[in-house]
Amino acid sequence: MSNYAWRGYANINAGDYLDAQSDYNTVISSDPNSFDGHNSLCWAYGELGLFDKSLEHCNQAIELASTPIDHAISYENRCWVYVEMGNYEEAQQDCTQVFEIQPNCTYESCALAYYNLGRILLAQGEDSLAIDQFNRAYHYGSQYEVMYLDIAQVYDTHGYYEAALASYDRYIQLAGENANPVAQSRVIELGGS
């Protein structure tokens, strides 16, 4: 089963969420208590907008989490799903839970929790508070390229051009040849390479 888990992980990183679902469904059919299987299905179904299925697996992952890191990861994942759904109150509770579990957090889940809190505040018209959260997310760092693109666009819109350039650069590093051409053009306009 570890082969399916590894292939599912590769498929998620490649943005192939349908194949990732197939792989991780195979994992949990063999091991219904697989934290990684349920947590990954939470993400994969969420990326495709299948939020009911996503939440089912998010909730399972939270129940199956056995370490503080796994708990933080699973709450952050469900926070993201709730943000995607526009359920900001639930999302905020889950993102805040990440910091209660990991008060001195240095993990990617903290960067993503700050990012999602920023998205919530931005949607609620609290731009300056949102930027504070985005600054924290950028500081912690992540491999989630979309985070950097979103943060860059917010910085750019609000006139923080140096910060926008740094975030666009990080996005392009992570996205590689799949980087958004508009973001690449904006880097040149801002004086980057």
Side-chain angles (χ1 to χ4, degrees):
M1 280 304 112
S2 65
N3 289 340
Y4 285 102
W6 280 110
R7 190 172 71 183
Y9 177 76
N11 283 328
I12 278 184
N13 285 333
D16 187 350
Y17 302 111
L18 287 173
D19 283 344
Q21 286 172 24
S22 176
D23 291 331
Y24 282 112
N25 275 314
T26 300
V27 169
I28 63 170
S29 69
S30 174
D31 179 6
N33 294 321
S34 169
F35 168 79
D36 289 332
H38 286 289
N39 197 54
S40 297
L41 283 170
C42 168
W43 185 10
Y45 281 119
E47 285 286 358
L48 294 173
L50 302 170
F51 298 126
D52 288 340
K53 291 289 279 181
S54 178
L55 286 175
E56 176 185 321
H57 291 286
C58 294
N59 294 336
Q60 277 294 114
I62 288 169
E63 285 182 32
L64 293 168
S66 60
T67 67
I69 294 170
D70 285 351
H71 275 103
I73 290 168
S74 58
Y75 275 108
E76 186 285 315
N77 217 5
R78 190 172 72 177
C79 167
W80 167 77
V81 172
Y82 281 139
V83 171
E84 293 295 306
M85 296 172 67
N87 293 348
Y88 299 131
E89 186 175 327
E90 292 91 342
Q92 188 168 12
Q93 290 172 1
D94 279 356
C95 279
T96 302
Q97 188 70 26
V98 172
F99 304 116
E100 289 176 12
I101 294 167
Q102 296 282 318
N104 298 315
C105 188
T106 59
Y107 300 101
E108 183 172 24
S109 57
C110 294
L112 296 172
Y114 282 127
Y115 163 63
N116 282 306
L117 286 171
R119 293 174 66 207
I120 294 165
L121 290 164
L122 199 62
Q124 295 171 335
E126 300 285 348
D127 293 15
S128 63
L129 294 174
I131 288 171
D132 288 342
Q133 298 301 317
F134 292 145
N135 289 341
R136 289 183 177 126
Y138 185 89
H139 169 74
Y140 276 98
S142 171
Q143 294 301 307
Y144 187 54
E145 63 196 52
V146 173
M147 179 183 93
Y148 291 101
L149 179 59
D150 287 350
I151 290 173
Q153 291 169 335
V154 170
Y155 286 153
D156 207 354
T157 301
H158 288 82
Y160 299 106
Y161 300 122
E162 194 172 313
L165 180 57
S167 198
Y168 280 129
D169 279 341
R170 183 69 180 128
Y171 160 72
I172 290 168
Q173 285 176 343
L174 291 169
E177 63 187 37
N178 297 320
N180 179 315
V182 173
Q184 293 174 337
S185 295
R186 190 63 184 137
V187 166
I188 293 167
E189 290 169 9
L190 291 170
S193 53

